[in-house]
Short mmCIF file of all heavy atoms in Angstrom, two decimals:
data_model
loop_
_atom_site.label_atom_id
_atom_site.label_comp_id
_atom_site.label_asym_id
_atom_site.label_seq_id
_atom_site.Cartn_x
_atom_site.Cartn_y
_atom_site.Cartn_z
N MET J 513 4.29 -5.95 17.94
CA MET J 513 4.81 -5.84 16.58
C MET J 513 3.71 -5.30 15.66
O MET J 513 2.64 -5.86 15.57
CB MET J 513 5.28 -7.22 16.09
CG MET J 513 5.83 -7.19 14.66
SD MET J 513 7.29 -6.16 14.43
CE MET J 513 8.56 -7.29 14.99
N ILE J 514 4.03 -4.22 15.01
CA ILE J 514 3.07 -3.62 14.09
C ILE J 514 3.27 -4.22 12.70
O ILE J 514 4.39 -4.37 12.22
CB ILE J 514 3.24 -2.09 14.05
CG1 ILE J 514 2.97 -1.50 15.44
CG2 ILE J 514 2.31 -1.46 13.02
CD1 ILE J 514 3.30 -0.03 15.54
N ASN J 515 2.15 -4.59 12.09
CA ASN J 515 2.24 -5.22 10.78
C ASN J 515 2.80 -4.27 9.73
O ASN J 515 2.51 -3.08 9.73
CB ASN J 515 0.86 -5.68 10.33
CG ASN J 515 0.38 -6.87 11.12
OD1 ASN J 515 1.19 -7.63 11.65
ND2 ASN J 515 -0.92 -7.03 11.18
N ARG J 516 3.59 -4.84 8.85
CA ARG J 516 4.08 -4.08 7.71
C ARG J 516 3.02 -4.05 6.62
O ARG J 516 2.34 -5.04 6.37
CB ARG J 516 5.34 -4.71 7.15
CG ARG J 516 6.57 -4.46 7.99
CD ARG J 516 7.76 -5.19 7.46
NE ARG J 516 8.12 -4.74 6.11
CZ ARG J 516 9.28 -5.06 5.53
NH1 ARG J 516 10.15 -5.81 6.15
NH2 ARG J 516 9.55 -4.63 4.31
N CYS J 517 2.90 -2.92 5.99
CA CYS J 517 2.00 -2.81 4.85
C CYS J 517 2.51 -3.71 3.72
O CYS J 517 3.69 -3.65 3.38
CB CYS J 517 1.94 -1.36 4.40
SG CYS J 517 1.04 -1.14 2.86
N PRO J 518 1.64 -4.55 3.13
CA PRO J 518 2.10 -5.45 2.06
C PRO J 518 2.47 -4.69 0.79
O PRO J 518 3.15 -5.25 -0.07
CB PRO J 518 0.90 -6.37 1.83
CG PRO J 518 -0.27 -5.59 2.30
CD PRO J 518 0.23 -4.72 3.43
N CYS J 519 2.04 -3.46 0.68
CA CYS J 519 2.32 -2.70 -0.53
C CYS J 519 3.62 -1.90 -0.41
O CYS J 519 4.54 -2.10 -1.19
CB CYS J 519 1.14 -1.77 -0.84
SG CYS J 519 1.42 -0.73 -2.29
N CYS J 520 3.70 -1.00 0.57
CA CYS J 520 4.87 -0.12 0.65
C CYS J 520 5.92 -0.66 1.62
O CYS J 520 7.08 -0.24 1.58
CB CYS J 520 4.45 1.29 1.07
SG CYS J 520 3.80 1.41 2.74
N GLY J 521 5.55 -1.58 2.53
CA GLY J 521 6.51 -2.20 3.43
C GLY J 521 6.75 -1.44 4.73
O GLY J 521 7.49 -1.91 5.58
N TYR J 522 6.13 -0.28 4.90
CA TYR J 522 6.30 0.46 6.15
C TYR J 522 5.38 -0.11 7.22
O TYR J 522 4.32 -0.66 6.93
CB TYR J 522 6.02 1.95 5.94
CG TYR J 522 7.05 2.60 5.07
CD1 TYR J 522 6.75 3.02 3.78
CD2 TYR J 522 8.35 2.78 5.54
CE1 TYR J 522 7.72 3.60 2.97
CE2 TYR J 522 9.32 3.35 4.73
CZ TYR J 522 9.00 3.76 3.45
OH TYR J 522 9.97 4.32 2.66
N ARG J 523 5.79 0.05 8.48
CA ARG J 523 5.05 -0.52 9.60
C ARG J 523 3.94 0.43 10.05
O ARG J 523 3.99 1.00 11.13
CB ARG J 523 5.99 -0.80 10.77
CG ARG J 523 7.04 -1.83 10.46
CD ARG J 523 7.82 -2.20 11.71
NE ARG J 523 8.97 -3.05 11.41
CZ ARG J 523 8.87 -4.38 11.20
NH1 ARG J 523 7.72 -4.95 11.26
NH2 ARG J 523 9.95 -5.06 10.92
N THR J 524 2.96 0.56 9.21
CA THR J 524 1.86 1.48 9.54
C THR J 524 0.77 0.78 10.35
O THR J 524 0.06 1.44 11.09
CB THR J 524 1.26 2.07 8.25
OG1 THR J 524 0.97 1.00 7.35
CG2 THR J 524 2.24 3.02 7.59
N GLY J 525 0.62 -0.54 10.17
CA GLY J 525 -0.32 -1.30 10.98
C GLY J 525 -1.78 -0.91 10.80
O GLY J 525 -2.60 -1.18 11.65
N CYS J 526 -2.09 -0.28 9.69
CA CYS J 526 -3.46 0.16 9.45
C CYS J 526 -4.12 -0.73 8.39
O CYS J 526 -3.43 -1.32 7.56
CB CYS J 526 -3.48 1.60 8.95
SG CYS J 526 -2.77 2.76 10.10
N ILE J 527 -5.44 -0.78 8.42
CA ILE J 527 -6.17 -1.48 7.36
C ILE J 527 -5.94 -0.74 6.04
O ILE J 527 -5.60 -1.32 5.03
CB ILE J 527 -7.68 -1.58 7.69
CG1 ILE J 527 -7.89 -2.38 8.99
CG2 ILE J 527 -8.43 -2.24 6.53
CD1 ILE J 527 -7.42 -3.82 8.93
N THR J 528 -6.15 0.57 6.08
CA THR J 528 -5.81 1.39 4.92
C THR J 528 -4.54 2.16 5.27
O THR J 528 -4.53 2.98 6.20
CB THR J 528 -6.94 2.36 4.56
OG1 THR J 528 -8.09 1.60 4.21
CG2 THR J 528 -6.54 3.23 3.36
N CYS J 529 -3.48 1.88 4.57
CA CYS J 529 -2.16 2.43 4.88
C CYS J 529 -2.11 3.94 4.57
O CYS J 529 -2.45 4.35 3.46
CB CYS J 529 -1.13 1.68 4.05
SG CYS J 529 0.53 2.33 4.21
N PRO J 530 -1.69 4.77 5.52
CA PRO J 530 -1.62 6.22 5.26
C PRO J 530 -0.45 6.62 4.37
O PRO J 530 -0.43 7.72 3.85
CB PRO J 530 -1.47 6.82 6.66
CG PRO J 530 -0.85 5.75 7.47
CD PRO J 530 -1.35 4.44 6.91
N VAL J 531 0.50 5.72 4.19
CA VAL J 531 1.69 6.05 3.40
C VAL J 531 1.46 5.78 1.90
O VAL J 531 1.93 6.52 1.05
CB VAL J 531 2.92 5.28 3.92
CG1 VAL J 531 4.15 5.49 3.04
CG2 VAL J 531 3.23 5.72 5.35
N CYS J 532 0.74 4.70 1.60
CA CYS J 532 0.51 4.38 0.18
C CYS J 532 -0.97 4.27 -0.16
O CYS J 532 -1.33 4.20 -1.32
CB CYS J 532 1.21 3.07 -0.18
SG CYS J 532 0.49 1.61 0.59
N PHE J 533 -1.83 4.23 0.86
CA PHE J 533 -3.29 4.13 0.71
C PHE J 533 -3.74 2.78 0.18
O PHE J 533 -4.83 2.65 -0.38
CB PHE J 533 -3.86 5.29 -0.13
CG PHE J 533 -4.89 6.08 0.64
CD1 PHE J 533 -4.52 6.85 1.73
CD2 PHE J 533 -6.23 6.03 0.29
CE1 PHE J 533 -5.47 7.55 2.45
CE2 PHE J 533 -7.19 6.73 1.00
CZ PHE J 533 -6.79 7.49 2.08
N TRP J 534 -2.91 1.78 0.33
CA TRP J 534 -3.36 0.41 0.06
C TRP J 534 -4.26 -0.03 1.20
O TRP J 534 -3.97 0.24 2.36
CB TRP J 534 -2.15 -0.52 -0.03
CG TRP J 534 -2.49 -1.97 -0.12
CD1 TRP J 534 -2.40 -2.90 0.88
CD2 TRP J 534 -2.98 -2.67 -1.26
NE1 TRP J 534 -2.80 -4.13 0.41
CE2 TRP J 534 -3.17 -4.02 -0.89
CE3 TRP J 534 -3.29 -2.28 -2.57
CZ2 TRP J 534 -3.64 -4.98 -1.79
CZ3 TRP J 534 -3.77 -3.24 -3.45
CH2 TRP J 534 -3.93 -4.57 -3.07
N THR J 535 -5.35 -0.68 0.88
CA THR J 535 -6.22 -1.26 1.90
C THR J 535 -5.98 -2.76 1.93
O THR J 535 -6.16 -3.42 0.92
CB THR J 535 -7.69 -0.95 1.61
OG1 THR J 535 -7.86 0.47 1.63
CG2 THR J 535 -8.60 -1.57 2.66
N ASP J 536 -5.53 -3.25 3.08
CA ASP J 536 -5.15 -4.65 3.19
C ASP J 536 -6.38 -5.55 3.23
O ASP J 536 -7.12 -5.52 4.20
CB ASP J 536 -4.32 -4.83 4.47
CG ASP J 536 -3.76 -6.24 4.58
OD1 ASP J 536 -3.97 -7.04 3.65
OD2 ASP J 536 -3.11 -6.53 5.60
N PRO J 537 -6.59 -6.36 2.20
CA PRO J 537 -7.74 -7.28 2.21
C PRO J 537 -7.42 -8.60 2.86
O PRO J 537 -8.19 -9.54 2.74
CB PRO J 537 -8.02 -7.45 0.71
CG PRO J 537 -6.68 -7.33 0.07
CD PRO J 537 -5.81 -6.44 0.97
N GLY J 538 -6.25 -8.70 3.53
CA GLY J 538 -5.85 -9.95 4.13
C GLY J 538 -5.43 -10.96 3.08
O GLY J 538 -5.58 -12.16 3.24
N GLN J 539 -4.88 -10.44 2.02
CA GLN J 539 -4.50 -11.27 0.88
C GLN J 539 -3.10 -11.84 1.09
O GLN J 539 -2.19 -11.12 1.48
CB GLN J 539 -4.53 -10.39 -0.37
CG GLN J 539 -4.27 -11.13 -1.66
CD GLN J 539 -4.31 -10.16 -2.84
OE1 GLN J 539 -4.17 -8.96 -2.68
NE2 GLN J 539 -4.50 -10.69 -4.01
N ALA J 540 -2.93 -13.12 0.82
CA ALA J 540 -1.62 -13.75 0.95
C ALA J 540 -0.76 -13.43 -0.27
O ALA J 540 -1.26 -13.29 -1.38
CB ALA J 540 -1.76 -15.24 1.12
N ASP J 541 0.52 -13.34 -0.06
CA ASP J 541 1.44 -12.95 -1.11
C ASP J 541 1.40 -13.83 -2.37
O ASP J 541 1.52 -13.30 -3.46
CB ASP J 541 2.86 -12.90 -0.56
CG ASP J 541 3.56 -11.61 -0.91
OD1 ASP J 541 2.91 -10.73 -1.51
OD2 ASP J 541 4.75 -11.48 -0.62
N PRO J 542 1.25 -15.17 -2.24
CA PRO J 542 1.29 -15.99 -3.45
C PRO J 542 0.27 -15.58 -4.51
O PRO J 542 0.46 -15.84 -5.68
CB PRO J 542 1.00 -17.40 -2.93
CG PRO J 542 1.49 -17.38 -1.54
CD PRO J 542 1.21 -15.98 -1.04
N SER J 543 -0.82 -14.93 -4.08
CA SER J 543 -1.83 -14.52 -5.06
C SER J 543 -1.75 -13.02 -5.33
O SER J 543 -2.73 -12.40 -5.71
CB SER J 543 -3.22 -14.88 -4.55
OG SER J 543 -3.44 -14.30 -3.28
N ALA J 544 -0.57 -12.44 -5.15
CA ALA J 544 -0.44 -10.99 -5.25
C ALA J 544 -0.76 -10.45 -6.63
O ALA J 544 -1.05 -9.28 -6.79
CB ALA J 544 0.97 -10.56 -4.84
N PHE J 545 -0.70 -11.32 -7.64
CA PHE J 545 -1.00 -10.85 -8.99
C PHE J 545 -2.49 -10.82 -9.26
O PHE J 545 -2.92 -10.37 -10.31
CB PHE J 545 -0.28 -11.73 -10.02
CG PHE J 545 -0.64 -13.18 -9.93
CD1 PHE J 545 -1.68 -13.68 -10.69
CD2 PHE J 545 0.04 -14.03 -9.07
CE1 PHE J 545 -2.02 -15.02 -10.61
CE2 PHE J 545 -0.29 -15.36 -8.98
CZ PHE J 545 -1.34 -15.86 -9.75
N VAL J 546 -3.29 -11.32 -8.32
CA VAL J 546 -4.73 -11.38 -8.51
C VAL J 546 -5.38 -10.18 -7.82
O VAL J 546 -5.11 -9.91 -6.65
CB VAL J 546 -5.31 -12.69 -7.93
CG1 VAL J 546 -6.83 -12.71 -8.11
CG2 VAL J 546 -4.67 -13.89 -8.58
N ALA J 547 -6.20 -9.47 -8.56
CA ALA J 547 -6.97 -8.39 -7.95
C ALA J 547 -8.19 -9.00 -7.26
O ALA J 547 -8.96 -9.72 -7.88
CB ALA J 547 -7.41 -7.39 -9.01
N VAL J 548 -8.34 -8.75 -5.97
CA VAL J 548 -9.41 -9.40 -5.21
C VAL J 548 -10.65 -8.53 -5.09
O VAL J 548 -11.62 -8.93 -4.49
CB VAL J 548 -8.93 -9.80 -3.79
CG1 VAL J 548 -7.89 -10.91 -3.89
CG2 VAL J 548 -8.37 -8.63 -3.03
N GLY J 549 -10.63 -7.35 -5.66
CA GLY J 549 -11.78 -6.46 -5.54
C GLY J 549 -11.82 -5.83 -4.18
O GLY J 549 -10.78 -5.69 -3.53
N GLY J 550 -13.00 -5.47 -3.70
CA GLY J 550 -13.11 -4.82 -2.41
C GLY J 550 -12.56 -3.41 -2.47
O GLY J 550 -12.64 -2.74 -3.49
N PRO J 551 -11.97 -2.94 -1.34
CA PRO J 551 -11.58 -1.53 -1.25
C PRO J 551 -10.55 -1.10 -2.27
O PRO J 551 -10.48 0.07 -2.61
CB PRO J 551 -11.01 -1.40 0.17
CG PRO J 551 -10.90 -2.78 0.71
CD PRO J 551 -11.71 -3.70 -0.13
N ASN J 552 -9.77 -2.04 -2.79
CA ASN J 552 -8.77 -1.68 -3.78
C ASN J 552 -9.28 -1.81 -5.21
O ASN J 552 -8.53 -1.59 -6.16
CB ASN J 552 -7.52 -2.54 -3.60
CG ASN J 552 -6.90 -2.35 -2.23
OD1 ASN J 552 -6.52 -1.25 -1.88
ND2 ASN J 552 -6.84 -3.41 -1.45
N GLY J 553 -10.54 -2.15 -5.35
CA GLY J 553 -11.12 -2.24 -6.68
C GLY J 553 -10.42 -3.28 -7.53
O GLY J 553 -10.18 -4.39 -7.07
N ASP J 554 -10.08 -2.91 -8.75
CA ASP J 554 -9.44 -3.86 -9.65
C ASP J 554 -7.93 -3.81 -9.56
O ASP J 554 -7.22 -4.29 -10.43
CB ASP J 554 -9.90 -3.60 -11.10
CG ASP J 554 -9.61 -2.18 -11.53
OD1 ASP J 554 -9.06 -1.40 -10.74
OD2 ASP J 554 -9.95 -1.84 -12.68
N LEU J 555 -7.43 -3.19 -8.49
CA LEU J 555 -5.99 -3.04 -8.32
C LEU J 555 -5.42 -4.27 -7.61
O LEU J 555 -5.86 -4.63 -6.53
CB LEU J 555 -5.74 -1.79 -7.48
CG LEU J 555 -4.32 -1.22 -7.41
CD1 LEU J 555 -3.88 -0.71 -8.77
CD2 LEU J 555 -4.28 -0.10 -6.40
N SER J 556 -4.46 -4.93 -8.22
CA SER J 556 -3.79 -6.04 -7.54
C SER J 556 -2.64 -5.51 -6.70
O SER J 556 -2.19 -4.37 -6.89
CB SER J 556 -3.27 -7.06 -8.55
OG SER J 556 -2.10 -6.57 -9.18
N LEU J 557 -2.17 -6.34 -5.78
CA LEU J 557 -1.08 -5.90 -4.92
C LEU J 557 0.19 -5.61 -5.72
O LEU J 557 0.89 -4.64 -5.45
CB LEU J 557 -0.81 -6.97 -3.85
CG LEU J 557 0.26 -6.64 -2.81
CD1 LEU J 557 0.02 -5.30 -2.15
CD2 LEU J 557 0.34 -7.74 -1.77
N ASN J 558 0.46 -6.40 -6.74
CA ASN J 558 1.64 -6.14 -7.56
C ASN J 558 1.52 -4.80 -8.28
O ASN J 558 2.49 -4.05 -8.39
CB ASN J 558 1.85 -7.27 -8.57
CG ASN J 558 2.58 -8.45 -7.97
OD1 ASN J 558 3.02 -8.39 -6.82
ND2 ASN J 558 2.71 -9.52 -8.72
N GLU J 559 0.33 -4.50 -8.79
CA GLU J 559 0.12 -3.21 -9.46
C GLU J 559 0.27 -2.08 -8.46
O GLU J 559 0.83 -1.03 -8.77
CB GLU J 559 -1.27 -3.18 -10.10
CG GLU J 559 -1.39 -4.06 -11.32
CD GLU J 559 -2.84 -4.26 -11.75
OE1 GLU J 559 -3.75 -4.16 -10.89
OE2 GLU J 559 -3.06 -4.55 -12.92
N ALA J 560 -0.26 -2.30 -7.24
CA ALA J 560 -0.17 -1.28 -6.21
C ALA J 560 1.29 -1.02 -5.84
O ALA J 560 1.70 0.14 -5.65
CB ALA J 560 -0.96 -1.70 -4.97
N ARG J 561 2.09 -2.08 -5.76
CA ARG J 561 3.51 -1.91 -5.45
C ARG J 561 4.21 -1.15 -6.56
O ARG J 561 5.07 -0.29 -6.31
CB ARG J 561 4.17 -3.28 -5.28
CG ARG J 561 3.82 -3.95 -3.97
CD ARG J 561 4.31 -5.38 -3.97
NE ARG J 561 4.11 -6.02 -2.67
CZ ARG J 561 4.15 -7.33 -2.49
NH1 ARG J 561 4.34 -8.13 -3.52
NH2 ARG J 561 3.98 -7.83 -1.28
N LEU J 562 3.88 -1.46 -7.78
CA LEU J 562 4.48 -0.76 -8.92
C LEU J 562 4.07 0.71 -8.89
O LEU J 562 4.90 1.61 -9.08
CB LEU J 562 4.03 -1.41 -10.22
CG LEU J 562 4.63 -0.87 -11.51
CD1 LEU J 562 6.14 -1.06 -11.53
CD2 LEU J 562 4.01 -1.54 -12.73
N ASN J 563 2.79 0.96 -8.61
CA ASN J 563 2.33 2.34 -8.51
C ASN J 563 3.05 3.08 -7.40
O ASN J 563 3.41 4.26 -7.55
CB ASN J 563 0.82 2.38 -8.26
CG ASN J 563 0.02 2.07 -9.50
OD1 ASN J 563 0.49 2.24 -10.61
ND2 ASN J 563 -1.20 1.60 -9.30
N PHE J 564 3.26 2.40 -6.26
CA PHE J 564 3.95 3.05 -5.15
C PHE J 564 5.37 3.43 -5.56
O PHE J 564 5.86 4.51 -5.22
CB PHE J 564 3.96 2.15 -3.91
CG PHE J 564 4.59 2.81 -2.72
CD1 PHE J 564 3.93 3.84 -2.06
CD2 PHE J 564 5.83 2.42 -2.26
CE1 PHE J 564 4.51 4.47 -0.97
CE2 PHE J 564 6.42 3.04 -1.16
CZ PHE J 564 5.75 4.07 -0.52
N ALA J 565 6.03 2.55 -6.31
CA ALA J 565 7.39 2.84 -6.78
C ALA J 565 7.38 4.03 -7.74
O ALA J 565 8.30 4.86 -7.72
CB ALA J 565 7.98 1.61 -7.45
N LEU J 566 6.35 4.12 -8.55
CA LEU J 566 6.29 5.17 -9.56
C LEU J 566 5.75 6.49 -9.00
O LEU J 566 6.28 7.56 -9.30
CB LEU J 566 5.39 4.73 -10.72
CG LEU J 566 5.91 3.59 -11.61
CD1 LEU J 566 4.83 3.16 -12.60
CD2 LEU J 566 7.16 4.02 -12.35
N TYR J 567 4.68 6.41 -8.22
CA TYR J 567 3.93 7.60 -7.82
C TYR J 567 4.01 7.90 -6.32
O TYR J 567 3.55 8.94 -5.88
CB TYR J 567 2.45 7.45 -8.20
CG TYR J 567 2.22 7.08 -9.64
CD1 TYR J 567 1.72 5.82 -9.97
CD2 TYR J 567 2.49 7.98 -10.67
CE1 TYR J 567 1.50 5.46 -11.29
CE2 TYR J 567 2.28 7.62 -11.99
CZ TYR J 567 1.78 6.37 -12.30
OH TYR J 567 1.58 6.02 -13.59
N GLY J 568 4.52 6.94 -5.52
CA GLY J 568 4.51 7.13 -4.08
C GLY J 568 3.15 6.90 -3.47
O GLY J 568 2.89 7.32 -2.34
N ALA J 569 2.28 6.19 -4.19
CA ALA J 569 0.95 5.85 -3.69
C ALA J 569 0.50 4.59 -4.43
O ALA J 569 0.97 4.32 -5.54
CB ALA J 569 -0.04 6.99 -3.93
N SER J 570 -0.42 3.85 -3.81
CA SER J 570 -0.84 2.59 -4.41
C SER J 570 -1.62 2.79 -5.71
O SER J 570 -1.77 1.87 -6.50
CB SER J 570 -1.67 1.76 -3.43
OG SER J 570 -2.84 2.46 -3.07
N HIS J 571 -2.12 4.00 -5.90
CA HIS J 571 -2.78 4.37 -7.15
C HIS J 571 -2.52 5.85 -7.37
O HIS J 571 -2.51 6.61 -6.39
CB HIS J 571 -4.29 4.10 -7.07
CG HIS J 571 -4.98 4.22 -8.39
ND1 HIS J 571 -5.30 5.44 -8.94
CD2 HIS J 571 -5.38 3.28 -9.29
CE1 HIS J 571 -5.89 5.24 -10.12
NE2 HIS J 571 -5.94 3.94 -10.35
N PRO J 572 -2.33 6.29 -8.62
CA PRO J 572 -2.06 7.72 -8.85
C PRO J 572 -3.11 8.64 -8.24
O PRO J 572 -2.79 9.76 -7.83
CB PRO J 572 -2.05 7.82 -10.38
CG PRO J 572 -1.67 6.46 -10.87
CD PRO J 572 -2.21 5.49 -9.85
N ARG J 573 -4.36 8.17 -8.12
CA ARG J 573 -5.40 9.05 -7.57
C ARG J 573 -5.21 9.32 -6.08
O ARG J 573 -5.85 10.21 -5.52
CB ARG J 573 -6.80 8.47 -7.83
CG ARG J 573 -7.11 7.18 -7.09
CD ARG J 573 -8.56 6.75 -7.31
NE ARG J 573 -8.84 5.45 -6.71
CZ ARG J 573 -8.83 4.30 -7.38
NH1 ARG J 573 -8.58 4.28 -8.66
NH2 ARG J 573 -9.10 3.16 -6.77
N TYR J 574 -4.33 8.54 -5.41
CA TYR J 574 -4.10 8.73 -3.99
C TYR J 574 -2.88 9.60 -3.70
O TYR J 574 -2.52 9.79 -2.55
CB TYR J 574 -3.92 7.38 -3.29
CG TYR J 574 -5.12 6.48 -3.36
CD1 TYR J 574 -4.97 5.11 -3.54
CD2 TYR J 574 -6.40 7.00 -3.24
CE1 TYR J 574 -6.06 4.27 -3.60
CE2 TYR J 574 -7.50 6.17 -3.31
CZ TYR J 574 -7.33 4.81 -3.49
OH TYR J 574 -8.41 3.98 -3.55
N ARG J 575 -2.25 10.13 -4.74
CA ARG J 575 -1.01 10.88 -4.53
C ARG J 575 -1.21 12.08 -3.60
O ARG J 575 -0.30 12.47 -2.89
CB ARG J 575 -0.45 11.38 -5.87
CG ARG J 575 0.42 10.36 -6.55
CD ARG J 575 1.01 10.91 -7.81
NE ARG J 575 -0.03 11.15 -8.80
CZ ARG J 575 0.21 11.54 -10.05
NH1 ARG J 575 1.42 11.73 -10.47
NH2 ARG J 575 -0.79 11.73 -10.88
N GLU J 576 -2.39 12.66 -3.61
CA GLU J 576 -2.64 13.86 -2.81
C GLU J 576 -2.98 13.56 -1.36
O GLU J 576 -2.97 14.45 -0.52
CB GLU J 576 -3.79 14.68 -3.43
CG GLU J 576 -3.56 15.08 -4.88
CD GLU J 576 -2.31 15.94 -5.04
OE1 GLU J 576 -2.12 16.86 -4.24
OE2 GLU J 576 -1.54 15.68 -5.99
N VAL J 577 -3.32 12.31 -1.06
CA VAL J 577 -3.80 11.99 0.30
C VAL J 577 -2.78 11.20 1.12
O VAL J 577 -2.93 11.10 2.34
CB VAL J 577 -5.14 11.22 0.27
CG1 VAL J 577 -6.25 12.11 -0.26
CG2 VAL J 577 -5.04 9.95 -0.56
N VAL J 578 -1.77 10.65 0.47
CA VAL J 578 -0.78 9.88 1.25
C VAL J 578 0.17 10.83 1.97
O VAL J 578 0.25 12.01 1.67
CB VAL J 578 0.02 8.93 0.33
CG1 VAL J 578 -0.89 7.86 -0.24
CG2 VAL J 578 0.75 9.68 -0.76
N ARG J 579 0.86 10.29 2.97
CA ARG J 579 1.86 11.07 3.69
C ARG J 579 3.17 10.30 3.73
O ARG J 579 3.21 9.10 3.48
CB ARG J 579 1.38 11.37 5.11
CG ARG J 579 1.19 10.13 5.98
CD ARG J 579 1.10 10.51 7.43
NE ARG J 579 0.73 9.41 8.29
CZ ARG J 579 1.56 8.43 8.68
NH1 ARG J 579 2.79 8.39 8.22
NH2 ARG J 579 1.14 7.48 9.48
N LYS J 580 4.23 11.00 4.08
CA LYS J 580 5.53 10.37 4.23
C LYS J 580 5.52 9.45 5.46
O LYS J 580 4.84 9.76 6.45
CB LYS J 580 6.61 11.44 4.41
CG LYS J 580 6.83 12.28 3.17
CD LYS J 580 7.97 11.69 2.34
CE LYS J 580 8.31 12.57 1.15
NZ LYS J 580 7.33 12.47 0.07
N PRO J 581 6.25 8.33 5.42
CA PRO J 581 6.32 7.47 6.61
C PRO J 581 7.05 8.17 7.74
O PRO J 581 7.99 8.94 7.51
CB PRO J 581 7.10 6.25 6.12
CG PRO J 581 7.87 6.73 4.94
CD PRO J 581 7.04 7.81 4.30
N ARG J 582 6.59 7.93 8.97
CA ARG J 582 7.30 8.44 10.14
C ARG J 582 8.53 7.57 10.39
O ARG J 582 8.56 6.40 10.00
CB ARG J 582 6.38 8.42 11.36
CG ARG J 582 5.18 9.33 11.24
CD ARG J 582 4.43 9.44 12.57
NE ARG J 582 4.06 8.13 13.11
CZ ARG J 582 2.83 7.67 13.16
NH1 ARG J 582 1.83 8.37 12.71
NH2 ARG J 582 2.59 6.47 13.67
N PRO J 583 9.53 8.12 11.10
CA PRO J 583 10.75 7.33 11.36
C PRO J 583 10.46 6.00 12.04
O PRO J 583 11.12 5.00 11.73
CB PRO J 583 11.57 8.25 12.27
CG PRO J 583 11.12 9.62 11.92
CD PRO J 583 9.65 9.50 11.57
N ASP J 584 9.47 5.96 12.92
CA ASP J 584 9.18 4.70 13.64
C ASP J 584 8.42 3.71 12.77
O ASP J 584 8.19 2.57 13.19
CB ASP J 584 8.40 5.00 14.92
CG ASP J 584 7.05 5.65 14.65
OD1 ASP J 584 7.01 6.64 13.88
OD2 ASP J 584 6.04 5.16 15.16
N GLU J 585 8.02 4.10 11.59
CA GLU J 585 7.31 3.19 10.69
C GLU J 585 8.25 2.54 9.68
O GLU J 585 7.84 1.65 8.95
CB GLU J 585 6.21 3.95 9.94
CG GLU J 585 5.09 4.39 10.85
CD GLU J 585 4.13 5.34 10.17
OE1 GLU J 585 4.48 5.93 9.14
OE2 GLU J 585 3.01 5.49 10.68
N ILE J 586 9.47 3.01 9.63
CA ILE J 586 10.43 2.46 8.68
C ILE J 586 10.97 1.15 9.23
O ILE J 586 11.45 1.11 10.36
CB ILE J 586 11.57 3.48 8.43
CG1 ILE J 586 11.00 4.74 7.79
CG2 ILE J 586 12.65 2.85 7.54
CD1 ILE J 586 11.98 5.89 7.69
N PRO J 587 10.83 0.07 8.46
CA PRO J 587 11.22 -1.24 8.99
C PRO J 587 12.74 -1.39 9.23
O PRO J 587 13.50 -0.71 8.60
CB PRO J 587 10.75 -2.23 7.93
CG PRO J 587 10.45 -1.44 6.72
CD PRO J 587 10.28 0.00 7.12
ZN1 LIG P 1204 1.48 1.09 2.54
#
C-alpha cells in the first residue's frame, strides 16, 4: 500500500510529493493547522491544501515543478 499524500491525497508515496510538492514531515492531522517548519518552511498542511486547491501545488512557487497525478496514483 502506497501512502497517500496528506496534502493532495494522491498515492504518490514520496517524501516530497511530485503532484503538489508537499514534503511530508510525518505530521499528524490533528495539528494540521500548525506549521512545523522544516522542508515546508512556514507553510502549514491546511495552507498547503488550500494552495493545492487554488494553484494545483502546495505553494504557488511550485506550480512550475509539479506534475499531473498518474492514473495509478489516484485513490
Ligand atoms: Zn501531494
Side-chain angles (χ1 to χ4, degrees):
M513 179 63 82
I514 298 172
N515 288 336
R516 284 175 62 168
C517 172
C519 178
C520 67
Y522 292 110
R523 296 188 188 281
T524 50
C526 300
I527 299 298
T528 298
C529 175
V531 174
C532 68
F533 238 68
W534 172 256
T535 298
D536 186 3
Q539 185 180 20
D541 230 4
S543 56
F545 58 92
V546 179
V548 292
N552 299 300
D554 57 0
L555 193 66
S556 76
L557 183 52
N558 277 355
E559 288 167 335
R561 286 171 174 163
L562 184 62
N563 285 336
F564 183 72
L566 291 173
Y567 308 111
S570 61
H571 190 282
R573 67 175 175 263
Y574 298 142
R575 274 183 293 186
E576 303 300 315
V577 293
V578 294
R579 63 164 172 77
K580 292 266 185 284
R582 296 189 306 251
D584 62 310
E585 291 170 342
I586 297 171

